[in-house]
Amino acid sequence: MLINLLLSLLLFITYHLALTYVGARVRFLKTILPSLFLGLSAFLIRTVFQAPPVIYSTSIVVICAVLMFLFNKIDYLSSIIGSILSFTTFIVSSLLIACPIMVTLGFEVPRETKGLPWILINLAEFAVPTIVIFILKTCKFNLAKYLRNI
Amino acid sequence: MKQLYFLKAFLCILICIFTMLLFELSIFEQLNRTIYFSFMACIFFILILWVLSIWFFYKFAMVVNEERIARETDQFQLEESRKLVQTLQSQRHDYRNQLQVIRVLAQFNKNSEIIKYIDDYISLANVSAAASSRINNSAISALYLVYETEARDKGIKMTIDSDIDFTHFKYSPSKVTRIIGNIIRNAIECLEEINRQDREIQITMWEANDYYVISIWNNGDPIPETHIERIFLPGFSTKNSSGLRLGIVKELVQELGGNISVVSQVEFGTEFKITLPRTKPNSLSTA
């Protein structure tokens, strides 16, 4: 349970990715509370309520957008866009990179939310969003600026 | 409003892609989390769609933005032309007033006063007329006369000196006057804000071996060093203006195959130096 909770808290990476996508410059301290909320929600939906992945992903996207809107004063459209972009990156990286790597390493893609493969796949899933954040920050990519320049 | 529709359209595409992805995810679950090639290909296809949609939206945004800047530039030029026409109209009005005074003096047979009045007026107008007459290009002369009068009215001294033989000058008069006019207008606006007596604008034009050089200098406040590189960007302004003038100037100079540079220092003032090649590229229009 505790490991699951800690793994859920890793969602602060996707929260930061969502903010980076929309070019929001928010102080790190101001993202702690919403990230914590997002992590706890993910933990409740996935581990406590055992929701299927589709419902889990949809709920997390909505919660992330709401948290961005409420805590970081990002307008509602940008919040949704950032949230969807972030979780699309997350899911694509999970299905396209993390799962095949697990299979290549000789593990099965875990069906239950416990055990070493489960921890490994979670850590692998977050690798790509972290790299994307790093790239976007380095390139100073600001999607919101481009979209608003029209 | 347009941005809002654009954002909503973008959001709809994203939702479509995300829904496809969720659909893939549910299939992945139904397949008991076994990885198949076709399944991977589908996800890869979604990823490509995602990247392409962002890329095309970005290109679309850039094109629309360029169109907007071009439209604003045209609008700005129109406004500038209107201002020039207004200046000419006010000058014509001024001449009519002078004639009215002379007419009244003539009615009362005050010949000596008429002569004195005309002499006074000529001494004022002569300086600019004499200066402009040395330039054998009617468009630049006219432009100088208009701006010199405006500058004089604002207490700014404006001089011109040229040793260019304009009989072989092949460049479009409208483009050259737009280049010079925009820089002079900027200089006048800059000097207007300064409370000083010795405000001055100097236009110097000469021929080098391969180039015509046009220098427009003013002794206003210098442009901050941090702004020098950005002053030619469309929309950049240190004042409350549109910030399009110098962008237009740079674009026109480049269109004519020339170059523009700026030197701005506290002791020296600000000088814009335009160099235009004497042998004009054939592709350039003279219209």
Side-chain angles (χ1 to χ4, degrees), chain B residues 57-212:
Chain B
F57 262 83
Y58 168 70
K59 294 304 280 181
F60 172 75
M62 287 296 109
V63 170
V64 173
N65 196 29
E66 275 168 21
E67 277 177 7
R68 184 177 59 85
I69 289 175
R71 208 168 39 241
E72 277 179 8
T73 308
D74 287 346
Q75 189 67 31
F76 175 75
Q77 277 301 318
L78 196 69
E79 284 297 318
E80 287 294 297
S81 304
R82 276 197 194 127
K83 275 186 200 167
L84 204 63
V85 170
Q86 273 174 2
T87 310
L88 284 169
Q89 280 174 340
S90 65
Q91 282 182 14
R92 193 186 66 170
H93 185 72
D94 185 47
Y95 280 120
R96 284 179 68 176
N97 284 345
Q98 310 298 339
L99 285 175
Q100 200 68 32
V101 173
I102 293 167
R103 185 175 176 274
V104 173
L105 289 172
Q107 270 182 340
F108 293 105
N109 286 326
K110 295 193 173 179
N111 294 342
S112 59
E113 285 183 31
I114 291 173
I115 292 165
K116 191 171 175 291
Y117 187 85
I118 292 172
D119 282 347
D120 278 352
Y121 189 74
I122 286 173
S123 68
L124 270 176
N126 241 2
V127 184
S128 51
S132 73
S133 67
R134 285 204 300 273
I135 305 159
N136 56 347
N137 182 300
S138 52
I140 295 174
S141 290
L143 181 91
Y144 172 71
L145 276 175
V146 170
Y147 280 116
E148 200 278 333
T149 313
E150 189 184 331
R152 194 175 353 114
D153 289 345
K154 289 172 179 168
I156 301 164
K157 188 183 169 192
M158 191 163 150
T159 55
I160 191 164
D161 192 18
S162 167
D163 63 5
I164 295 180
D165 179 9
F166 282 101
T167 48
H168 303 293
F169 193 77
K170 297 276 193 283
Y171 290 101
S172 152
S174 74
K175 283 178 184 168
V176 175
T177 50
R178 273 172 74 193
I179 291 169
I180 300 173
N182 276 322
I183 298 177
I184 296 174
R185 167 74 62 200
N186 254 15
I188 291 175
E189 279 181 9
C190 168
L191 291 171
E192 251 183 318
E193 293 170 1
I194 302 170
N195 287 322
R196 215 169 63 199
Q197 288 300 310
D198 60 332
R199 293 174 298 171
E200 198 177 342
I201 298 170
Q202 272 177 20
I203 305 160
T204 318
M205 297 186 276
W206 69 92
E207 291 179 31
N209 284 340
D210 302 318
Y211 288 94
Y212 294 113

Side-chain angles (χ1 to χ4, degrees), chain A residues 97-108, chain B residues 35:
Chain A
I97 298 165
C99 290
I101 286 175
M102 287 288 290
V103 173
T104 315
L105 290 174
F107 292 101
E108 270 190 24
Chain B
I35 293 169

Side-chain angles (χ1 to χ4, degrees), chain A residues 21 53-54 57-58 61 75-78 80-81 84-85 87-89 91-92 95-97 99-100 103 109-111 118 141 143 146-150, chain B residues 2-4 6-8 10-11 14-15 17-18 21-22 24-26 28-29 32-35 39-40 43-44 47 50 54 58 61-62 64-65 68:
Chain A
Y21 267 126
V54 176
S57 303
T58 314
V61 166
D75 66 279
Y76 78 100
L77 271 177
S78 299
I80 303 170
I81 288 173
I84 291 179
L85 281 175
F87 280 91
T88 306
T89 312
I91 295 169
V92 168
L95 293 177
L96 214 62
I97 298 165
C99 290
V103 173
V109 180
R111 292 183 185 88
W118 170 248
F141 176 79
L143 184 75
Y146 292 129
L147 294 177
R148 280 173 213 297
N149 269 344
I150 307 159
Chain B
K2 201 162 65 177
Q3 281 103 328
L4 198 66
F6 181 79
L7 279 175
K8 283 178 181 173
F10 185 70
L11 181 62
L14 281 182
I15 291 172
I17 293 171
F18 191 70
L21 211 58
L22 289 179
E24 291 279 335
L25 204 61
S26 68
F28 186 57
E29 284 298 309
N32 282 327
R33 300 196 173 200
T34 315
I35 293 169
F39 177 74
M40 300 292 285
I43 296 169
F44 189 70
L47 182 70
W50 183 69
I54 289 180
Y58 168 70
M62 287 296 109
V64 173
N65 196 29
R68 184 177 59 85

